[in-house]
Amino acid sequence: MDTLLQDMRYGLRMLAKAPGFAAVAVLTLALGIGGNATVFSWIRTVLLNPLPGIAHADQFIAVESVMPGGEYHTSSYPDYKDYRDRNNVFSGLIGFEMAGVDMSLRNDAPPERVWGIIATENYFDVLGVQAAMGRTFHPVPNQGLNSDPYVVLGHGLWARRFGSDPRVLGRTVHLNGHPFTVIGVAPQNFYGTIVGINAEYFVPMMMQPQILPGEDIEERWPTFVHIMGRLKPGVTMMQGQAEMATLAADFQKEYPNAEKGVGVFLTPVWGAHYGVQDFLRSVLGFLMVVALFVLLIGCVNVANLLLARATSREREIAIRAALGASRKRLMRQLLIESLLLATAGGVGGVLLALWGANLLAFFLPPMHLPVGLPLGVDRAVLAFTVILSLGTGIVFGLAPAWRGSRAELNQSLKEGSRASGAGSGTHRLRDLLVVSEMVLATVLLMGAGLLLRSLHNAENKGPGFNSNHVTVAAFDLRATDYTGPQGALYFDHLIERIRAYPGVESVSSELWVPLWFTGRGYAGVQIQGYTPKPNEDMGIDYNVIGPNYFHTLQIPLMNGRDFSEQDRTGAPRVVIVNQTMANRFWPGANGLGHQVQVGGVWRTVVGVAHDIKYHRMNEDARPFIYFPQLQADGTEANILVRAAIPTAAVISDVRAAAKSLDTKVQPIETDDLEGLLHVSLFANRIAATLASVLGALGMLLAAIGIYGVLSYSVNQRIREIGIRIALGAQAKDVLRLVVGHGLRLAAFGAVVGALISILARRGMSSLLFGISATDPMTFVVVLCVVTLAAALAAYIPARRAMRVDPIAALRHE
């Protein structure tokens, strides 16, 4: 230990004597380590610890239904009950769903839209969550619908809406116009079980008719219930999957009409196909790889600096060896100096991560949902940073320590011998390190370029409809005691009044906003004259829309007509399908006049609309059905207004029109549709932005590496360059000599990096939109950027070489 402390003190003194070298090395390492620590803190929040505030959260597994076509889906409440009662692998199983409700403190008070969770009565017991105040709800035998109108407030809502009032227990709040008694407040660090959402309330599943009136809790076809469970001790996920798959097969036999072809899939919570982790999973994995590449480039740069520094310390190392130091002892000394640099870089990286950990919230766009991401640097992130720093010190310090500790006593101790520095082996090692930098930088720039082009394509090509100058106003009439027919009549009158305002070009409605995070319709269909293939998925996504919907969003109709004011209750039942559905079920025909059965009702196809993006910008084309709002009673709708006036003016007009019909009704949310679509691309924007920043940083470090190698090479070849100039070499010859060496290194590294990018294209395909992972234009641009950066980095030392005075160089020798 005394020897180790001595080496550390000596290493600190040596670094203090070279403050410029130490500062550059530490800054380079701090950027690399800090970037990795930042991305890891995001991964820790979103993927590794997605359910904060839950005891032994690592034991929780998401259980998802798999539709016959392979699509992951929520389950039904009857399925949940059967899985709960008949499995032997879970110690507890819960069901839940996120729901937006209108909450008011009095039945006659203006409502506020809040988002929370409706959950099975064993929800808190299985999660192991105790109320911060009051109590939670628990299962009671033989509970029926509407039997327990209780609500547990989320800690955030309690603080915001009730001022953290401890007397809130026992108070009555109205959710969708129905009274609920407050029985407790959830802990501050508990956000619920939808990753990324901070649930503002929790109500029992038996209150579904009041909280989710559009759903059917008794229907067995996969509906709205997310299932999650805690595995028993000693049970593996593979064992759980096997048993649950057996149960799913049993359900298919017992309920062939509802469960035909429906399977089950178990996954850790980070792999679930809902929540923010579903959007960020591939993005964070990609960014972690990018950050590691930047760190590797930084390590190579510092290794090159240490190799150059080892050359200037040859005499010192030789004297230490002559006095009896073994090579092992010399290597330890040099490695300790590297670890000191890495430690300093790690401290800088932690400071950078403390700032960068909250940067993810900066990228999250404004949303109407309560975001819950406990960002920050915890003990796990600190431990990761410490391990990364130590590993980094060994990675960049090992090769220089190995080369630097190899002392050649006779050559190094000769008085007056020319300090020629490193031999050909060291030169080859430094060239190899530069090539590796260029490989990594090229891969980074390829990824960044593809993501930027993909984002550009997504923003330019759009989702298949025109969102410019369209305002969205969301209405929910449940809190004002409207029935389904009354709600349909209200929306009909509201649209008529809005249409009369100056500047309004078109008005329509829809139940769910495309590409938004909340709400989705999915129903099983039968096609007249069509025989499904074995296990063919006949579930189709749908939306409920008003007249002029396609005109308002400027979606082309390929055949047939739009819904009209005549498509009301009592008129013939009609639907409009998209082009993909028409091609699937009626190939070679336009689909018009064909019959589709949904919910036991046959409907006639009267139009075929152009495909749009419904859930994600990079999704494949999928069948879709549109139902007329005038034939579907409902109390919820999103009013769409295309107008030539500002969004604020449109919102004011919508509010005025709503108030003129009923003073108790106001839109619960308003926004411009363009802004909502901007939200749908936030994951792509994070990936493209950070990959570009880190790619540029990697290219800068690689260029610095080329500059350092060539600058060192010029210093070592001063005598040679002087002789060349004395023998008649021109400035352009010297320029070609130095720049040519740098370009050869860069070109070789760029070609290898391009090949690696092609081999790794499959890993990026899920992040791309409208572009191939082998896009030629991106490859050409990146190779040009790499070549230009290398040429600029090589030109600076080349200029110094061109100015060498041959007489001074030879006199020095």
Side-chain angles (χ1 to χ4, degrees), residues 178-202:
H178 301 281
F180 283 73
T181 302
V182 177
I183 61 172
V185 176
Q188 185 173 6
N189 64 338
F190 174 64
Y191 296 162
T193 43
I194 304 288
V195 179
I197 301 298
N198 187 6
E200 296 178 302
Y201 72 86
F202 303 87

Side-chain angles (χ1 to χ4, degrees), residues 242-292:
E243 172 155 326
M244 296 294 276
T246 301
L247 290 176
D250 292 342
F251 298 164
Q252 293 182 35
K253 297 174 183 177
E254 295 172 20
Y255 312 101
N257 293 330
E259 300 280 3
K260 183 179 180 181
V262 178
V264 67
F265 174 69
L266 271 62
T267 177
V269 177
W270 61 262
H273 295 83
Y274 57 91
V276 73
Q277 81 277 29
D278 189 31
F279 292 90
L280 293 181
R281 186 165 46 241
S282 56
V283 171
L284 292 178
F286 172 76
L287 290 179
M288 193 73 233
V289 173
V290 169
L292 284 172

Side-chain angles (χ1 to χ4, degrees), residues 33-85:
I33 294 173
N36 279 268
T38 297
V39 176
F40 180 77
S41 72
W42 298 349
I43 292 176
R44 166 85 175 151
T45 297
V46 176
L47 302 180
L48 301 183
N49 186 31
L51 300 177
I54 294 176
H56 306 292
D58 57 313
Q59 299 172 353
F60 268 85
I61 300 296
V63 181
E64 301 181 324
S65 291
V66 182
M67 305 307 291
E71 185 180 25
Y72 298 100
H73 202 277
T74 48
S75 303
S76 67
Y77 185 70
D79 273 351
Y80 157 76
K81 289 195 298 182
D82 284 344
Y83 279 132
R84 179 197 63 191
D85 298 338

Side-chain angles (χ1 to χ4, degrees), residues 204-215:
M205 182 66 74
M206 288 299 102
M207 302 308 295
Q208 171 266 320
Q210 282 74 40
I211 303 301
L212 288 171
E215 300 290 351

